[in-house]
Amino acid sequence: NRQRASKIVRVKSHELENLIGLLNSVSNLCAMENAENSRHLLRRLTQFVRYKHGRRGQLLPLADELAMAEVLFELSRARFGEQLVTEVVCAPGGGVDLNACYVPHYAVLAFVENSVYHAFNDTEPPWRVAVRVRRSYGTVTVVVDDNGGGFDPQPYVHRDGAVRAADAETYGSLPVTLARLSAQFGRGHTVQLESTPDGGTRAEITIPVG
């Protein structure tokens, strides 16, 4: 019906703004650099958009989420240049195959995207975002760190997984992401948020394996 179609095509304004910013960066590269580099970035952007909007609601390997974090970082560095410093580090060990560890789609990328798109408003570069993965027997922990402006984490720290009706359609928002993790893993997972004004944000997500 018409109402459902409206929900499908609606794009949050900040997402559209950032997508336009990325496309403008690629267009500038087309004018200034060789076509091969530009084509590569366009392919990466297409890959990211397809993953973000085409795989909603799926349960996916954690390795896929981390691979898309790399893609998001590559695209963001094309936009911000040396002002943005990023890294994805996966520690070995624990006997854990990240391709066999499944998470809800965008459950990790939501935290990464929040850092890239929102943490650095009204802050000075260099901006830094890091994703680090620790493996141990029975669990995997993903830590997303940034040195951005921070926010008040208290409304989210002790959530029970319930989502207000106003938030229910905001896919990728922090409340919805926490609720989806809770629905998938119940008491078997933890999310710790630490954030201070001008002190950056640290999200630590621990999920069970197997």
Side-chain angles (χ1 to χ4, degrees):
N1 57 34
R2 182 176 300 176
Q3 183 178 7
R4 181 181 179 186
S6 175
K7 291 179 182 178
I8 293 174
V9 301
R10 185 168 59 237
V11 178
K12 290 182 289 185
S13 61
H14 75 269
E15 290 185 343
L16 182 58
E17 178 183 349
N18 283 294
L19 181 58
I20 290 172
L22 291 172
L23 288 171
N24 284 336
S25 297
V26 175
S27 297
N28 290 336
L29 283 171
C30 288
M32 296 184 299
E33 298 184 0
N34 64 79
E36 183 56 36
N37 188 39
S38 301
R39 283 197 298 268
H40 169 74
L41 287 173
L42 284 170
R43 286 194 296 267
R44 297 292 263 177
L45 178 55
T46 301
Q47 181 184 9
F48 182 79
V49 171
R50 284 177 176 169
Y51 182 88
K52 179 175 182 178
H53 297 286
R55 307 193 68 178
R56 291 190 176 195
Q58 297 182 25
L59 201 61
L60 300 168
L62 178 57
D64 287 7
E65 288 277 292
L66 297 174
M68 283 301 109
E70 294 270 22
V71 173
L72 176 58
F73 283 160
E74 182 178 359
L75 292 168
S76 299
R77 289 194 303 270
R79 179 181 180 187
F80 296 112
E82 294 182 357
Q83 295 180 113
L84 178 64
V85 180
T86 66
E87 65 175 349
V88 177
V89 179
C90 297
V96 176
D97 180 0
L98 298 181
N99 284 298
C101 177
Y102 285 81
V103 296
H105 170 260
Y106 236 70
V108 171
L109 273 173
F111 295 95
V112 180
E113 188 176 70
N114 188 70
S115 288
V116 171
Y117 289 162
H118 305 299
F120 306 116
N121 295 335
D122 303 319
T123 64
E124 294 296 322
W127 302 310
R128 296 182 174 86
V129 186
V131 179
R132 299 182 177 90
V133 181
R134 301 195 307 266
R135 316 181 211 200
S136 61
Y137 292 97
T139 63
V140 171
T141 298
V142 181
V143 178
V144 182
D145 267 317
D146 69 60
N147 67 337
F151 67 100
D152 179 10
Q154 289 305 311
Y156 309 105
V157 171
H158 299 295
R159 292 188 59 83
D160 60 1
V163 181
R164 299 190 307 274
D167 294 324
E169 297 172 7
T170 313
Y171 192 91
S173 69
L174 191 52
V176 172
T177 299
L178 293 173
R180 293 173 67 232
L181 284 166
S182 181
Q184 178 63 35
F185 299 112
R187 295 182 180 274
H189 84 293
T190 61
V191 178
Q192 298 180 28
L193 294 173
E194 300 175 4
S195 187
T196 57
D198 301 320
T201 299
R202 183 179 188 272
E204 181 174 307
I205 309 107
T206 300
I207 57 175
V209 178

